Amino acid sequence: MNIENMLPFLNKQALEELVDSVIAGDVDFDIRKALPFLEDDALKRLMEYAAENPGKINFDSAECYPFLSEEIMEEVFLKKLESGVLDESCLPFVSSECLKKVVEKYCENSDWDLNVDALYPFMDEDDISELFRAYLKRNKRTD
């Protein structure tokens, strides 16, 4: 019997049991193979466990990003940003509305040290223009 072959056919409860078993260390299974089949709550549990217990399971939270809902991804992205970390691997999975909030906050707070250059490929033209105007305002010569 091969669990990998079962994954597409397991229900939510069974998949959550698998996550619990991997977290508890009760089963030796590469949980990354199950990511496409897991729901947001199970993915969040895995991410939280991996963050709180580095090295306990063979897992990088960024591997969940393609499978999380946009809402959860924005939550993850903004939480990391609030703690001072710009996780560029989140950018393809957040909405333009989320990035607009970041631009607004950046433009309002001239002391915020954020490398906004990484955001450009994911932003719309209006947000880039807003950043440009903020740059001009912040760097205006006063002589």
Side-chain angles (χ1 to χ4, degrees), residues 49-87:
Y49 180 80
E52 294 168 6
N53 304 280
K56 291 275 185 169
I57 57 175
N58 184 20
F59 179 75
D60 177 4
S61 293
E63 294 174 283
C64 285
Y65 295 172
F67 307 107
L68 286 167
S69 68
E70 191 174 82
E71 180 182 317
I72 300 295
M73 273 309 306
E74 290 175 3
E75 198 178 294
V76 168
F77 175 70
L78 293 173
K79 185 176 180 180
K80 287 183 175 198
L81 203 55
E82 287 173 14
S83 69
V85 175
L86 174 61
D87 185 349

Side-chain angles (χ1 to χ4, degrees), residues 5 8 24 27 30 37 48 51-52 65-67 74 84-85 87 90 96 103 106-107 117-118 121 138 142:
N5 294 336
V27 65
D30 184 356
F37 306 103
E48 289 167 0
E52 294 168 6
Y65 295 172
F67 307 107
E74 290 175 3
V85 175
D87 185 349
C90 291
S96 58
V103 168
Y106 180 82
C107 291
D117 295 342
R138 289 180 186 174
T142 58

